[in-house]
């Protein structure tokens, strides 16, 4: 179990992080109640399908009416199974709460949505001929992780380790947890959900986008912390 270390100031509730978590869980439970064929249809309908998104032969009116560009965003909140969901949400909570408090809730929400959409777009460009959808918030969470690393490169997070019948609380460097997160993403490639495209560039792009957005937001973050 991971927990964030408490700050000296009383923080405001991280409502954006909680809203994202709730949205992902609600969508997952909603899809889980559907028959498999209907669920498959919705995954392909609202996931980012590279061959559909990048179909240059499709008329602009058709692309607009089918909301093809909007699927870059809707795909963020769709997950294939509980392992896919909990893996993403765990690291969203660990890194997202601190990032949201530094950036502000609205800026953090924009980071998650815009970063995730751009990451999905780059992932689609690298898999242009693929018919399988890119789904999940991995690209968006990668942007959050990248932002956290850029804002708090020397931060240490609390880790609760079970030692027999006792729980030991230790502090470890955030980059070490980020390395664990990267290894977990690699593991999901082999033992995770079989449905959906393996879009490694989505993770890489999200991480880079998060770092860039953090660097652009540093003046605003400094003003926020001073205030």
């Amino acid at each position: 179990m991971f927990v964030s270390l408490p700050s000296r100031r009383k923080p405001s509730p991280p409502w954006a992080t909680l809203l994202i978590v709730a949205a992902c869980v609600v969508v997952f439970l909603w899809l889980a109640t559907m028959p498999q064929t209907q669920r498959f249809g919705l995954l392909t309908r609202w996931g980012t399908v590279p061959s559909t998104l990048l179909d240059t032969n499709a008329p602009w009116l058709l692309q607009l009416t089918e909301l093809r560009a909007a699927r870059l965003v809707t795909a963020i909140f769709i997950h294939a199974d509980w392992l896919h969901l909990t893996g993403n949400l765990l690291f969203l909570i660990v890194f997202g709460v601190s990032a949201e408090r530094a950036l502000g809730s609205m800026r953090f929400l924009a980071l998650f949505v815009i970063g995730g959409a751009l990451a999905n777009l780059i992932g689609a460009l690298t898999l242009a001929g693929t018919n399988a959808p890119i789904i999940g918030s991995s690209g968006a969470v990668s942007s959050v992780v990248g932002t956290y690393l850029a804002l708090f490169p020397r931060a240490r997070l609390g880790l609760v380790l079970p030692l027999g019948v006792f729980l030991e609380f230790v502090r470890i460097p955030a980059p070490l947890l980020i390395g664990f997160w990267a290894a977990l993403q690699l593991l999901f490639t082999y033992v995770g959900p079989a449905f959906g495209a393996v879009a490694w560039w989505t993770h890489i792009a999200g991480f880079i986008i998060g770092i860039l957005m953090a660097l652009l937001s540093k003046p605003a973050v400094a003003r926020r912390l001073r205030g």
Side-chain angles (χ1 to χ4, degrees):
M1 182 177 67
F2 301 104
V3 295
S4 296
L5 295 179
S7 60
R8 294 181 181 178
R9 297 174 56 188
K10 184 177 181 181
S12 58
W15 63 264
T17 301
L18 297 176
L19 178 64
I20 293 168
V21 170
C24 290
V25 171
V26 168
V27 171
F28 177 77
L29 293 177
W30 175 56
L31 290 173
T33 62
M34 295 182 177
Q36 185 175 0
T37 55
Q38 185 179 1
R39 182 169 177 263
F40 179 86
L42 282 172
L43 291 176
T44 54
R45 165 72 177 173
W46 295 110
T48 300
V49 181
S51 60
T52 301
L53 178 68
L54 304 175
D55 184 8
T56 57
N57 295 321
W60 280 102
L61 182 59
L62 178 64
Q63 296 185 33
L64 291 174
T65 55
E66 291 187 349
L67 301 175
R68 293 189 180 184
R71 299 175 194 179
L72 293 169
V73 176
T74 57
I76 297 172
F77 300 94
I78 301 173
H79 292 82
D81 62 16
W82 68 268
L83 183 63
H84 191 202
L85 175 72
T86 54
N88 281 331
L89 295 189
L90 171 64
F91 284 91
L92 172 64
I93 293 171
V94 170
F95 295 102
V97 171
S98 296
E100 179 179 350
R101 287 169 179 167
L103 293 171
S105 295
M106 293 303 298
R107 190 177 286 108
F108 174 80
L109 191 59
L111 163 71
F112 185 85
V113 173
I114 296 174
L118 291 177
N120 284 342
L121 176 59
I122 294 173
L125 290 172
T126 63
L127 297 167
T130 304
N131 292 320
I134 299 172
I135 56 174
S137 57
S138 297
V141 173
S142 296
S143 67
V144 172
V145 173
T147 295
Y148 186 94
L149 181 62
L151 292 177
F152 311 106
R154 299 179 181 178
R156 301 175 73 88
L157 292 173
L159 174 61
V160 178
L161 297 176
L163 300 176
V165 296
F166 301 101
L167 295 176
E168 183 71 20
F169 183 83
V170 297
R171 296 182 179 183
I172 62 175
L176 185 60
L177 278 183
I178 294 174
F180 176 73
W181 165 82
L184 189 62
Q185 299 305 309
L186 180 61
L187 179 65
F188 282 168
T189 302
Y190 299 99
V191 301
F195 187 86
V198 179
W200 270 107
W201 277 105
T202 300
H203 303 106
I204 297 171
F207 189 76
I208 295 173
I209 290 168
I211 292 176
L212 293 176
M213 294 185 74
L215 295 177
L216 292 174
S217 301
K218 272 195 172 182
V221 171
R223 290 194 299 269
R224 177 180 173 82
L225 294 178
R226 286 198 300 267

